[in-house]
Amino acid sequence: MTSAAASPAPDAPAAPPVHPVDQAPPPARLTVLSIQHVLAFYAGAVIVPLLIASGLDLTAQQTIHLINADLFTCGIATLIQSVGFWKVGVRLPIIQGVTTTAVSPIIAIGLAATGGEGGAEGLPMIYGSIIVAGLFTFLAAPYFAKILRFFPPVVIGTVLTTMGITLLGVSAGDITNYAEGTPATRDILYALGTLAVIVLVQRFFRGFLGTIAVLLGLVIGTLVAVLLGDTSFSGVTEASAFGVTTPFYFGIPTFSLTAIVSMIIVMLITMVETTGDVFAAGEIVGRRIRPRNISEALRADGLSTLLGGVLNSFPYTCFAQNIGLVRLTRVKSRWVVAGAGVIMIVLGVLPKAGAVVAAIPSPVLGGASLALFASVALVGIQTLSKVDLTDNRSSVIVGTSLGLAMLVSFKPDIAGVFPSWAQVFVSSGVTVGALTAIVLNVLFFHLGRQRGANVATTAGGERIGIEEVGEMDRETFVATFGSLFNGATWPLERAWEARPFADAPALRAAIEDAVLTAERAEQDALVRAYPDMATLVTADEEQAGAISQDVGSFALDGLAEEDVEALRDLADRYAEKFDLPFVAFLGRTDSFAQILEAGVRRLDHSPEHERRVALTEVAEIAGDRLGIMVADANPIGSAWARKFESLQ
């Protein structure tokens, strides 16, 4: 009798691949990478409690406690965000740190609570407002996408610019040691020397060293002060070897409505920043970001901020510099960041580490914070560059908000004119500027008919509203918006079928959808109706006007012959590979190098991928042309809202 050969066991189903975000490096490598994140983060983490302690005139011992509480809570917050639980934490390699947005309002609340005298007596009111603002953020997280339209770039840019400028006053106070009259020459030299180190490191070093320029400035400035006998680390020997911050160390929180509203405004701005940081992190690590991910990240911000109020720390947000470090190192593991969180918790229970930081001389701290706060103002200016300031309403929002904020910053005694309950609002230039920008944005862009009025211009130059657009027949609609595309009317004919339009963004969305859902042959013909970049550069003024009405990039004006030749070569290679013209949407600030680099990168795409990219560029050009026609829409703010809606 013969026996049948045993059948081979079926292969076990392959386990799904683990995303790089969820992969943990070996322990030794993980430890080194985690320490690197802590170093990149450390200066930004400790400078906030230092500035607040300086602004409130706290003692050295109180300052040390704030620093340790900050580091301890930063570690917990980072674990919440990177590891996550339930619906809390986005589970990406994101470090959590205290937001600089809160510095000025916190100091204002503390001074208002103590009648301008400062001291630890104002901390309970500060922590009461932080606890409520953290709870608000946690509960509002799922609904934030719906109120994001009230925070367009004109508001965010104004707030950030105001914040950076007003905080420079804190830096100036540290540099001069708040001396009356002429400050000491040595103090100015310390500040300028620290600032010089930061600038030189940023100029001559790249990579990791460039990310810790502020830390290097603080270290070198402090070492010089030690050598010259202007500071000492005697406090380190006096500090305890071990200590854990206890809840409500500075007293049971007290609650003030005005302080709470002020801190909620801070958290609303922070929520916008976190949203951008999460999208950036998702792009870097290759993970799609959905509305639930934004909610998870904001819940983590809220919970961490609430814990900050309990554990004697401050409001928390994502730290952008560590997101940049992820891009730099290409290490996408969230467990590396979680390891950094553990290291921060350890540092947070070592008061001697806090004492080392507290020994930094005020002028050195002032020089470093000068660079930090100036960069905050610069980010605000960059944000405002996206705003059409030729629109009178936007210019009124920016001008009025900045004017009132500077008035309060330059003459803080103005707060004494107001009732005590309102003084927290008017004693901070940031709060005044933020409230003014938010209220004026609602007044000009969201109340009454303004938001839907004057949406387009007819051929006769008449300004018409969204209601009139919705009532147009097909031929009138196509004639009114015919300039949006080069020689094609079918996208407009199909967009017309989507009437009525709620507002200008809905009109734009209908036009974009018509392009992106068309047949392949129609899409290819539409792209071929546009000139390639080389043709656009070499066309004379009359030809260029016939090609496009777009503003485009200033970088294409007056190109050298070798640049024109490089662009022509790129366009030829592009056409040879994809059988399409090299079409790109250009902004005013795009440099020639950026344009060329983007084109070379697109050459690496597959034909199918590049078809989609080229079509998207055409849709962007049409959206830009529509933006020229639209008076009352806010394209950037609306784009944020549509981004969330499209992900749902």
Side-chain angles (χ1 to χ4, degrees):
M1 186 175 79
T2 60
S3 60
S7 301
D11 293 337
V18 179
H19 194 282
V21 168
D22 299 316
Q23 295 176 6
R29 177 174 166 79
L30 185 147
T31 301
V32 172
L33 293 171
S34 297
I35 292 173
Q36 180 176 243
H37 268 286
V38 173
L39 289 174
F41 155 89
Y42 196 79
V46 300
I47 201 168
V48 172
L50 278 173
L51 290 171
I52 292 172
S54 175
L56 296 178
D57 196 23
L58 300 183
T59 66
Q61 191 61 37
Q62 292 166 339
T63 302
I64 292 171
H65 194 94
L66 284 186
I67 293 168
N68 284 107
D70 174 29
L71 289 171
F72 184 79
T73 316
C74 277
I76 296 174
T78 298
L79 289 173
I80 291 173
Q81 190 70 276
S82 60
V83 177
F85 65 93
W86 184 57
K87 297 180 179 180
V88 182
V90 74
R91 297 169 176 83
L92 289 175
I94 291 177
I95 291 272
Q96 293 287 99
V98 175
T99 173
T100 55
T101 307
V103 171
S104 186
I106 283 174
I107 293 174
I109 293 170
L111 292 176
T114 58
E117 296 181 1
E121 292 76 12
L123 289 173
M125 183 179 290
I126 291 172
Y127 290 132
S129 65
I130 290 173
I131 289 170
V132 175
L135 184 61
F136 166 84
T137 303
F138 186 90
L139 297 176
Y143 311 103
F144 184 63
K146 298 179 181 178
I147 65 172
L148 195 59
R149 63 191 178 93
F150 294 108
F151 295 87
V154 68
V155 172
I156 299 300
T158 300
V159 172
L160 291 176
T161 303
T162 302
M163 189 181 306
I165 294 173
T166 55
L167 285 173
L168 290 175
V170 177
S171 300
D174 284 332
I175 291 171
T176 62
N177 271 314
Y178 294 92
E180 298 291 338
T182 304
T185 302
R186 179 168 286 196
D187 290 345
I188 301 300
L189 291 176
Y190 275 130
L192 293 179
T194 302
L195 183 61
V197 170
I198 294 171
V199 171
L200 291 174
V201 170
Q202 291 175 325
R203 168 62 181 86
F204 292 107
F205 293 93
R206 293 291 181 268
F208 173 65
L209 285 178
T211 67
I212 60 171
V214 173
L215 179 61
L216 291 175
L218 290 170
V219 170
I220 294 173
T222 303
L223 288 177
V224 172
V226 171
L227 293 175
L228 295 178
D230 290 324
T231 191
S232 72
F233 292 105
S234 59
V236 178
T237 58
E238 298 171 1
S240 303
F242 181 83
V244 179
T245 184
T246 55
F248 310 128
Y249 176 83
F250 293 98
I252 300 300
T254 60
F255 300 93
S256 161
L257 178 61
T258 49
I260 289 169
V261 172
S262 178
M263 200 55 59
I264 285 176
I265 291 174
V266 168
M267 291 308 299
L268 287 171
I269 302 300
T270 298
M271 290 165 81
V272 177
E273 295 175 2
T274 294
T275 299
D277 288 337
V278 170
F279 273 115
E283 179 183 348
I284 290 170
V285 303
R287 178 165 280 182
R288 183 183 177 188
I289 301 301
R290 297 176 172 83
R292 64 177 177 81
N293 301 126
I294 299 298
S295 296
E296 291 164 351
L298 295 178
R299 283 195 186 99
D301 276 5
L303 179 58
S304 299
T305 297
L306 191 154
L307 285 175
V310 173
L311 296 177
N312 318 294
S313 190
F314 305 105
Y316 284 87
T317 187
C318 304
F319 254 44
Q321 57 262 53
N322 287 87
I323 295 174
L325 187 59
V326 172
R327 182 189 293 275
L328 177 71
T329 61
R330 299 178 183 174
V331 177
K332 303 176 181 179
S333 172
R334 61 191 174 105
W335 299 109
V336 169
V337 165
V342 173
I343 293 172
M344 285 186 282
I345 291 174
V346 172
L347 290 174
V349 298
L350 301 176
K352 289 186 182 297
V356 170
V357 177
I360 298 174
S362 291
V364 172
L365 177 63
S369 64
L370 190 74
L372 181 67
F373 296 148
S375 68
V376 173
L378 178 60
V379 171
I381 293 170
Q382 289 174 328
T383 304
L384 288 175
S385 70
K386 303 174 185 177
V387 178
D388 181 12
L389 294 178
T390 61
D391 186 329
N392 185 60
R393 294 157 305 168
S394 294
S395 62
V396 168
I397 292 172
V398 176
T400 305
S401 302
L402 283 174
L404 290 176
M406 293 304 101
L407 174 66
V408 172
S409 298
F410 295 149
K411 290 291 182 182
D413 293 342
I414 288 176
V417 175
F418 294 85
S420 58
W421 62 267
Q423 288 183 8
V424 170
F425 284 121
V426 295
S427 60
S428 166
V430 175
T431 305
V432 170
L435 283 174
T436 304
I438 292 169
V439 171
L440 290 182
N441 177 65
V442 171
L443 176 65
F444 283 127
F445 290 107
H446 297 278
L447 289 183
R449 288 177 52 86
Q450 287 89 350
R451 189 168 173 240
N454 297 336
V455 168
T457 305
T458 66
E462 177 188 0
R463 304 296 291 170
I464 55 176
I466 196 67
E467 294 83 3
E468 289 84 352
V469 170
E471 294 169 359
M472 288 179 176
D473 58 38
R474 187 189 301 266
E475 291 72 20
T476 304
F477 182 87
V478 171
T480 300
F481 298 100
S483 61
L484 298 187
F485 296 96
N486 285 10
T489 60
W490 59 262
L492 300 173
E493 293 170 353
R494 293 173 193 175
W496 176 82
E497 297 172 356
R499 296 168 303 126
F501 309 107
D503 49 24
L507 170 62
R508 176 171 175 166
I511 295 171
E512 291 175 345
D513 289 346
V515 172
L516 299 175
T517 58
E519 296 293 330
R520 181 188 183 100
E522 292 176 316
Q523 292 175 338
D524 289 349
L526 180 62
V527 174
R528 292 192 177 97
Y530 287 76
D532 63 40
M533 295 294 296
T535 302
L536 186 62
V537 170
T538 56
D540 60 32
E541 186 173 348
E542 182 177 351
Q543 290 173 318
I547 291 171
S548 171
Q549 68 178 26
D550 313 322
V551 174
S553 172
F554 295 146
L556 297 183
D557 292 337
L559 288 180
E561 182 58 36
E562 57 267 26
D563 291 337
V564 174
E565 190 59 36
L567 193 57
R568 187 181 290 115
D569 177 66
L570 173 62
D572 290 343
R573 286 193 289 155
Y574 184 94
E576 181 180 353
K577 178 172 182 179
F578 300 116
D579 192 28
L580 291 171
F582 173 40
V583 179
F585 166 71
L586 303 179
R588 286 181 175 88
T589 58
D590 288 337
S591 68
F592 178 73
Q594 290 172 324
I595 296 167
L596 206 61
E597 181 183 354
V600 171
R601 187 170 61 250
R602 287 170 63 179
L603 283 175
D604 292 333
H605 291 167
S606 68
E608 186 60 31
H609 182 183
E610 183 54 31
R611 275 193 68 258
R612 298 174 184 272
V613 172
L615 197 65
T616 301
E617 295 295 312
V618 169
E620 288 288 347
I621 292 171
D624 188 50
R625 294 176 180 179
L626 180 62
I628 295 172
M629 301 176 67
V630 170
D632 290 311
N634 187 314
I636 299 173
S638 301
W640 270 101
R642 288 199 308 279
K643 190 166 192 177
F644 278 98
E645 292 166 0
S646 67
L647 293 173
Q648 289 175 340

